[in-house]
Amino acid sequence: MSGGSASGWQRIDKAAFGIIYGAIMVLSILLAQGRHPAPPLETAVVLFGSVLAITLAKAFAEFLSQALDKRVRMTRGSWRAAWQHSTSTLAVANVPTALFLAAWQGWIGAEIALVWSQLLCVILLAGLGARAGWVLDSRVMPAILGAVFAGGIGVLLAIVKHVIH
Protein backbone atom coordinates (compact mmCIF):
# COMPACT_ATOMS: atom_id res chain seq x y z
CA MET A 1 0.00 0.00 0.00
CA SER A 2 1.47 3.36 -0.96
CA GLY A 3 1.73 6.35 1.38
CA GLY A 4 -0.97 8.15 -0.60
CA SER A 5 -3.56 5.45 -0.06
CA ALA A 6 -2.64 5.10 3.60
CA SER A 7 -3.20 8.82 4.12
CA GLY A 8 -6.48 8.52 2.20
CA TRP A 9 -7.65 5.78 4.55
CA GLN A 10 -6.51 7.86 7.53
CA ARG A 11 -8.64 10.77 6.31
CA ILE A 12 -11.66 8.50 5.91
CA ASP A 13 -11.05 6.93 9.32
CA LYS A 14 -10.83 10.37 10.94
CA ALA A 15 -14.04 11.47 9.20
CA ALA A 16 -15.91 8.22 9.95
CA PHE A 17 -17.78 9.53 13.00
CA GLY A 18 -19.10 12.55 11.08
CA ILE A 19 -19.96 10.52 7.98
CA ILE A 20 -21.86 7.93 10.01
CA TYR A 21 -23.60 10.62 12.04
CA GLY A 22 -24.44 12.59 8.89
CA ALA A 23 -25.78 9.56 7.03
CA ILE A 24 -28.07 8.62 9.92
CA MET A 25 -29.22 12.26 10.24
CA VAL A 26 -30.04 12.49 6.53
CA LEU A 27 -31.97 9.22 6.69
CA SER A 28 -33.79 10.40 9.81
CA ILE A 29 -34.74 13.75 8.28
CA LEU A 30 -36.01 11.99 5.15
CA LEU A 31 -37.91 9.59 7.43
CA ALA A 32 -39.75 12.58 8.88
CA GLN A 33 -41.13 13.49 5.45
CA GLY A 34 -44.85 12.80 5.43
CA ARG A 35 -46.98 10.67 3.14
CA HIS A 36 -47.16 13.68 0.82
CA PRO A 37 -43.61 14.98 0.97
CA ALA A 38 -42.81 18.65 0.76
CA PRO A 39 -41.88 20.10 -2.62
CA PRO A 40 -38.28 19.25 -3.60
CA LEU A 41 -36.95 22.78 -2.95
CA GLU A 42 -38.41 22.78 0.54
CA THR A 43 -37.00 19.30 1.16
CA ALA A 44 -33.55 20.46 0.01
CA VAL A 45 -33.64 23.53 2.25
CA VAL A 46 -34.97 21.61 5.28
CA LEU A 47 -32.49 18.78 4.75
CA PHE A 48 -29.41 20.97 4.40
CA GLY A 49 -30.59 23.49 7.00
CA SER A 50 -31.31 20.79 9.56
CA VAL A 51 -27.98 19.06 9.05
CA LEU A 52 -26.22 22.45 9.18
CA ALA A 53 -27.97 23.35 12.45
CA ILE A 54 -27.14 19.98 14.00
CA THR A 55 -23.55 20.21 12.77
CA LEU A 56 -23.17 23.68 14.28
CA ALA A 57 -24.69 22.42 17.54
CA LYS A 58 -22.28 19.48 17.58
CA ALA A 59 -19.27 21.74 16.94
CA PHE A 60 -20.39 24.24 19.58
CA ALA A 61 -21.00 21.47 22.13
CA GLU A 62 -17.58 20.00 21.42
CA PHE A 63 -15.98 23.47 21.69
CA LEU A 64 -17.62 24.29 25.03
CA SER A 65 -17.22 20.85 26.54
CA GLN A 66 -13.50 20.92 25.69
CA ALA A 67 -13.19 24.24 27.55
CA LEU A 68 -14.89 22.76 30.59
CA ASP A 69 -13.01 19.49 30.44
CA LYS A 70 -9.56 21.06 29.96
CA ARG A 71 -10.36 24.10 32.11
CA VAL A 72 -8.70 26.42 29.62
CA ARG A 73 -9.92 29.39 27.63
CA MET A 74 -10.77 28.31 24.13
CA THR A 75 -9.28 30.09 21.12
CA ARG A 76 -10.20 30.57 17.48
CA GLY A 77 -8.02 27.54 16.81
CA SER A 78 -10.16 25.54 19.23
CA TRP A 79 -13.30 26.58 17.36
CA ARG A 80 -11.66 25.79 14.01
CA ALA A 81 -10.68 22.32 15.25
CA ALA A 82 -14.21 21.64 16.53
CA TRP A 83 -15.70 22.84 13.23
CA GLN A 84 -13.26 20.78 11.14
CA HIS A 85 -14.14 17.72 13.22
CA SER A 86 -17.82 18.33 12.34
CA THR A 87 -17.62 19.16 8.63
CA SER A 88 -17.82 15.55 7.48
CA THR A 89 -21.29 15.42 9.06
CA LEU A 90 -22.42 18.33 6.90
CA ALA A 91 -20.68 16.97 3.81
CA VAL A 92 -22.97 13.93 3.78
CA ALA A 93 -25.98 16.22 3.19
CA ASN A 94 -24.47 17.82 0.07
CA VAL A 95 -25.38 15.13 -2.46
CA PRO A 96 -28.92 14.54 -1.14
CA THR A 97 -29.49 18.31 -1.14
CA ALA A 98 -28.21 18.51 -4.72
CA LEU A 99 -30.50 15.63 -5.72
CA PHE A 100 -33.55 17.43 -4.33
CA LEU A 101 -32.47 20.64 -6.07
CA ALA A 102 -32.24 18.63 -9.30
CA ALA A 103 -35.77 17.35 -8.64
CA TRP A 104 -36.92 20.93 -8.04
CA GLN A 105 -35.48 21.85 -11.45
CA GLY A 106 -37.35 18.92 -12.99
CA TRP A 107 -34.19 17.09 -14.04
CA ILE A 108 -35.12 14.02 -11.97
CA GLY A 109 -38.22 12.99 -10.06
CA ALA A 110 -38.57 13.67 -6.34
CA GLU A 111 -38.95 9.94 -5.67
CA ILE A 112 -35.65 9.32 -7.49
CA ALA A 113 -33.99 12.01 -5.34
CA LEU A 114 -35.34 10.29 -2.23
CA VAL A 115 -34.24 6.78 -3.24
CA TRP A 116 -30.77 7.91 -4.39
CA SER A 117 -30.30 9.90 -1.17
CA GLN A 118 -31.21 6.89 0.91
CA LEU A 119 -29.00 4.65 -1.22
CA LEU A 120 -26.04 7.00 -0.78
CA CYS A 121 -26.45 6.94 3.00
CA VAL A 122 -26.74 3.15 3.08
CA ILE A 123 -23.62 2.81 0.91
CA LEU A 124 -21.68 5.16 3.20
CA LEU A 125 -22.78 3.23 6.28
CA ALA A 126 -22.02 -0.16 4.70
CA GLY A 127 -18.64 1.05 3.46
CA LEU A 128 -17.60 2.33 6.85
CA GLY A 129 -18.93 -0.82 8.52
CA ALA A 130 -16.80 -2.88 6.14
CA ARG A 131 -13.81 -0.64 6.84
CA ALA A 132 -14.26 -1.09 10.60
CA GLY A 133 -14.51 -4.88 10.24
CA TRP A 134 -11.39 -4.95 8.10
CA VAL A 135 -9.37 -2.60 10.37
CA LEU A 136 -10.29 -4.58 13.48
CA ASP A 137 -9.57 -8.10 12.13
CA SER A 138 -7.91 -7.77 8.68
CA ARG A 139 -10.23 -10.50 7.40
CA VAL A 140 -13.00 -10.55 4.83
CA MET A 141 -15.77 -12.05 6.99
CA PRO A 142 -15.63 -9.35 9.71
CA ALA A 143 -15.59 -6.72 6.94
CA ILE A 144 -18.70 -8.26 5.37
CA LEU A 145 -20.43 -8.51 8.74
CA GLY A 146 -19.53 -4.87 9.49
CA ALA A 147 -20.97 -3.80 6.15
CA VAL A 148 -24.16 -5.79 6.71
CA PHE A 149 -24.63 -4.47 10.23
CA ALA A 150 -23.94 -0.78 9.50
CA GLY A 151 -25.66 -0.84 6.11
CA GLY A 152 -28.57 -2.70 7.69
CA ILE A 153 -29.18 0.22 10.05
CA GLY A 154 -29.50 2.50 7.02
CA VAL A 155 -31.76 0.05 5.20
CA LEU A 156 -33.92 -0.23 8.30
CA LEU A 157 -34.35 3.56 8.47
CA ALA A 158 -35.22 3.68 4.75
CA ILE A 159 -37.75 0.85 5.13
CA VAL A 160 -39.32 2.46 8.22
CA LYS A 161 -39.95 5.61 6.18
CA HIS A 162 -41.86 3.64 3.55
CA VAL A 163 -43.76 1.57 6.13
CA ILE A 164 -44.81 4.59 8.19
CA HIS A 165 -45.87 6.65 5.23
Side-chain angles (χ1 to χ4, degrees), residues 57-111:
K58 179 186 171 296
F60 184 65
E62 183 177 318
F63 175 75
L64 236 77
S65 67
Q66 290 283 332
L68 292 170
D69 185 44
K70 294 179 180 178
R71 302 214 184 278
V72 296
R73 187 175 306 275
M74 301 309 284
T75 63
R76 278 191 210 135
S78 304
W79 172 251
R80 192 173 322 138
W83 174 249
Q84 286 176 340
H85 185 249
S86 300
T87 56
S88 56
T89 300
L90 184 60
V92 174
N94 290 341
V95 171
T97 299
L99 288 167
F100 282 100
L101 290 173
W104 171 60
Q105 289 294 313
W107 299 335
I108 62 174
E111 187 64 30

Side-chain angles (χ1 to χ4, degrees), residues 11-26 51 55 58 84-93 124-125 128:
R11 288 180 61 198
I12 290 170
D13 294 348
K14 285 185 119 180
F17 176 88
I19 294 169
I20 293 164
Y21 192 63
I24 291 173
M25 280 193 326
V26 167
V51 175
T55 301
K58 179 186 171 296
Q84 286 176 340
H85 185 249
S86 300
T87 56
S88 56
T89 300
L90 184 60
V92 174
L124 289 171
L125 290 169
L128 287 169

Side-chain angles (χ1 to χ4, degrees), residues 18-163:
I19 294 169
I20 293 164
Y21 192 63
I24 291 173
M25 280 193 326
V26 167
L27 286 166
S28 297
I29 292 165
L30 293 175
L31 173 81
Q33 292 283 323
R35 179 181 305 272
H36 303 290
L41 178 60
E42 185 178 327
T43 301
V45 170
V46 167
L47 180 62
F48 190 80
S50 297
V51 175
L52 176 61
I54 293 167
T55 301
L56 286 169
K58 179 186 171 296
F60 184 65
E62 183 177 318
F63 175 75
L64 236 77
S65 67
Q66 290 283 332
L68 292 170
D69 185 44
K70 294 179 180 178
R71 302 214 184 278
V72 296
R73 187 175 306 275
M74 301 309 284
T75 63
R76 278 191 210 135
S78 304
W79 172 251
R80 192 173 322 138
W83 174 249
Q84 286 176 340
H85 185 249
S86 300
T87 56
S88 56
T89 300
L90 184 60
V92 174
N94 290 341
V95 171
T97 299
L99 288 167
F100 282 100
L101 290 173
W104 171 60
Q105 289 294 313
W107 299 335
I108 62 174
E111 187 64 30
I112 294 293
L114 173 66
V115 170
W116 286 359
S117 295
Q118 291 173 323
L119 185 60
L120 169 71
C121 292
V122 169
I123 288 170
L124 289 171
L125 290 169
L128 287 169
R131 173 76 180 145
W134 182 259
V135 167
L136 294 175
D137 286 334
S138 298
R139 295 191 348 243
V140 173
M141 190 50 100
I144 291 170
L145 292 173
V148 169
F149 177 74
I153 291 170
V155 169
L156 181 64
L157 285 170
I159 289 172
V160 166
K161 185 219 179 345
H162 293 288
V163 170

